[in-house]
Amino acid sequence: MIDYKMILLPFLISVVLTPLVKQYSIYCGAYAKENKRTVHHGKISRIGGVAIYLAFIITMAIFVKADRQIKGLVIGSSIMFFTGLIDDLIDIKPLVKLTLEVIAALVLIYFGISVDIIRLPLGIQIDTGIISFIFTIIWVAGITNAVNLIDGLDGLSGGMSVIVLVVIGSIAIIERRSDLLSIAFILAFGTLGFLVYNAHPASIFMGDCGSLFLGFMISAISLLGFKSSTILTLALPILLLMLPIIDTLSAILRRTLKGMKFMEADKSHIHHLLMRQFGHRNTVIIMCGLTALFGLSAFAYMINRNIGFLVMVIILLAVEIFIEKSAMISEKFHPLIGLWHRIQRKSRKIFKKVAKMPTFNIVFTLVC
C-alpha cells in the first residue's frame, strides 16, 4: 500500500506553490492570450504546470528510489516540461515541439521504457524491434498531444488526468505494482492540488508546460506496464484516454477536410461543442464523468469481460453519435446515423412489399 505522506506531500506542495507561480507570472508576463478560440477573459497565468512539475519531482526525490527506468522517466518528462514552459513564455513552432517530443520518447527507449511486444486480438503478437521502436515514439507523441489538445476549459485536462492516474494507480494496487502505484498517485495528487485554483472559474492555467508534462507522464507510465505484467495492456490507456484520442483524430480529419494545417488550432473540439449546449462547468463534469465511466468499464472488464466490453461499446456509440450529430468532423460525416436511416428506409420498403402480399392480408385480417 502507498504511504499517505507520499500523496499528501505533492498535494500540499502544489497548493502552496501555485499562488507563488501566479505572482511570478506578473513579473514575467506569462499570461494566456485572448483570441477567438479562448473562453477566458482577463490576464490569467498560463504556467501553472510549474507547480505540478515541482510537486512531482520533489516528492519523487524524497520517497521513490531512482532506478534506471525512473531516471529515464524524470529526464524525458523534464524535457517535455521545459519544452512546454518555453512555448508558454515565447511560443515555439509546432515542428520544434514535435521534434522535442520525439527526443523525449527516445530518452525513454534508451532507459528501457518501451513496448517489447505489441499484443493484438486473436492472440497475434508483434515483437519486431523496429516496429516496437516506431510504435513507442508514435504512442508517446500521440498521447502527449492528445492530453495537450483537451486543455481548453478550466480544470478539464487536469481533472481528466487525475481520473486516469487514479484508475491506473488503483489497478496497480490489484496487480501489486508498487512502482506504478507510487508514480501515478504522486502525480495525481500533485495535479489535484493545482486543481484547487484551476477549477472554474480558473485563476491560473497549467499551460503547455503542464499539459505536455502530464500527457508525457501518462504515456510513459502506461509503457512501464508493458514490461512485466498485464496491468496496462494497450487497451487500458487507450480506453482511459478515449475522449482525447477521439478528439485528436477528429481534429486531424476535420482540418484535413477543410484544407487546414494539422497544427492549426480551431474551436470545434469536443469540449467546445459541449460547452455551447451545457455551459463551461457542466462540460467539464460531463467529460470527466465519461472518463470515469471508461475507467469503471476497465474494472468491469477485469471482473467480467462480457459486461465490461458491453459497457465500453455503449459509451463509444454514445460518443460517436454525438460526434456525428454535432458535425464535429464534417456536416457530411455521419456513418452510424446514415446506416440507421438506410436500415429504416429498407425496412419500410420491405414492410410495404409484404403488406401487399395476399397471405399477409389474410393473417392481418384474422389478427385484427
Side-chain angles (χ1 to χ4, degrees):
M1 296 298 292
I2 191 169
D3 186 347
Y4 75 93
K5 297 177 183 177
M6 192 180 294
I7 61 177
L8 183 61
L9 182 60
F11 177 80
L12 292 177
I13 291 175
S14 187
V15 167
V16 172
L17 286 181
T18 302
L20 299 178
V21 173
K22 288 167 60 178
Q23 290 297 318
Y24 176 76
S25 300
I26 297 175
Y27 299 103
C28 67
Y31 295 107
K33 298 176 181 178
E34 292 187 50
N35 54 48
K36 63 181 181 179
R37 294 184 301 106
T38 57
V39 295
H40 75 278
H41 302 285
K43 293 183 177 181
I44 301 179
S45 170
R46 63 171 179 174
I47 57 172
V50 172
I52 299 174
Y53 173 77
L54 290 177
F56 174 77
I57 292 296
I58 293 171
T59 308
M60 287 286 290
I62 295 173
F63 289 103
V64 179
K65 184 179 180 180
D67 57 16
R68 178 176 172 81
Q69 290 187 338
I70 295 298
K71 291 178 182 178
L73 192 70
V74 171
I75 294 173
S77 63
S78 296
I79 292 174
M80 274 294 86
F81 167 74
F82 285 107
T83 297
L85 184 60
I86 294 171
D87 191 39
D88 288 331
L89 295 175
I90 62 174
D91 290 332
I92 58 177
K93 295 181 179 180
L95 184 59
V96 175
K97 191 187 300 184
L98 180 61
T99 301
L100 291 169
E101 289 172 3
V102 173
I103 292 174
L106 292 174
V107 169
L108 288 182
I109 295 172
Y110 176 77
F111 282 91
I113 302 176
S114 62
V115 180
D116 288 337
I117 300 175
I118 301 175
R119 295 177 176 84
L120 301 176
L122 304 178
I124 301 174
Q125 295 186 356
I126 301 176
D127 57 1
T128 305
I130 187 62
I131 295 179
S132 298
F133 177 84
I134 294 173
F135 178 84
T136 299
I137 293 175
I138 294 175
W139 175 258
V140 171
I143 298 301
T144 299
N145 282 297
V147 175
N148 179 242
L149 281 175
I150 62 170
D151 186 27
L153 298 181
D154 298 349
L156 181 58
S157 183
M160 290 180 67
S161 295
V162 167
I163 292 171
V164 170
L165 290 165
V166 168
V167 171
I168 290 175
S170 300
I171 296 178
I173 294 175
I174 299 174
E175 295 289 335
R176 297 182 180 180
R177 287 292 303 272
S178 59
D179 54 342
L180 297 178
L181 170 63
S182 299
I183 297 170
F185 271 49
I186 288 172
L187 186 56
F189 278 83
T191 306
L192 195 61
F194 166 77
L195 285 174
V196 171
Y197 307 92
N198 185 236
H200 183 70
S203 61
I204 185 171
F205 300 144
M206 70 169 61
D208 278 6
C209 64
S211 58
L212 290 178
F213 171 67
L214 284 175
F216 179 87
M217 284 298 303
I218 291 173
S219 70
I221 292 172
S222 65
L223 289 178
L224 278 172
F226 279 101
K227 282 299 185 180
S228 57
S229 80
T230 58
I231 169 180
L232 291 172
T233 62
L234 181 60
L236 178 56
I238 289 179
L239 181 64
L240 293 173
L241 290 166
M242 186 58 69
L243 285 182
I245 289 174
I246 290 174
D247 194 29
T248 301
L249 294 176
S250 298
I252 294 173
L253 287 173
R254 179 175 65 252
R255 292 167 188 173
T256 300
L257 291 173
K258 291 182 178 180
M260 300 169 60
K261 295 180 180 178
F262 162 61
M263 300 301 289
E264 187 177 347
D266 58 24
K267 205 171 182 179
S268 297
H269 293 289
I270 291 178
H271 52 272
H272 289 133
L273 299 175
L274 283 171
M275 193 176 71
R276 294 170 192 168
Q277 184 172 355
F278 299 104
H280 197 132
R281 187 187 298 275
N282 289 336
T283 295
V284 174
I285 293 173
I286 290 170
M287 293 193 67
C288 288
L290 285 172
T291 302
L293 284 176
F294 278 121
L296 288 174
S297 68
F299 279 106
Y301 187 80
M302 294 176 66
I303 298 171
N304 186 303
R305 291 192 174 187
N306 292 330
I307 294 176
F309 182 75
L310 179 61
V311 174
M312 295 177 200
V313 171
I314 292 173
I315 299 173
L316 286 173
L317 282 174
V319 173
E320 172 62 24
I321 291 172
F322 169 78
I323 290 174
E324 295 181 22
K325 284 278 190 179
S326 62
M328 180 177 169
I329 295 177
S330 169
E331 293 286 349
K332 298 180 180 180
F333 182 84
H334 41 73
L336 282 184
I337 295 176
L339 177 62
W340 173 246
H341 288 163
R342 286 193 293 273
I343 292 174
Q344 286 182 314
R345 289 194 296 269
K346 192 71 173 179
S347 299
R348 284 194 291 267
K349 289 181 180 179
I350 293 175
F351 182 79
K352 288 179 180 178
K353 289 181 179 179
V354 173
K356 295 178 180 179
M357 296 173 61
T359 305
F360 179 84
N361 292 332
I362 295 172
V363 172
F364 184 78
T365 301
L366 291 174
V367 171
C368 295

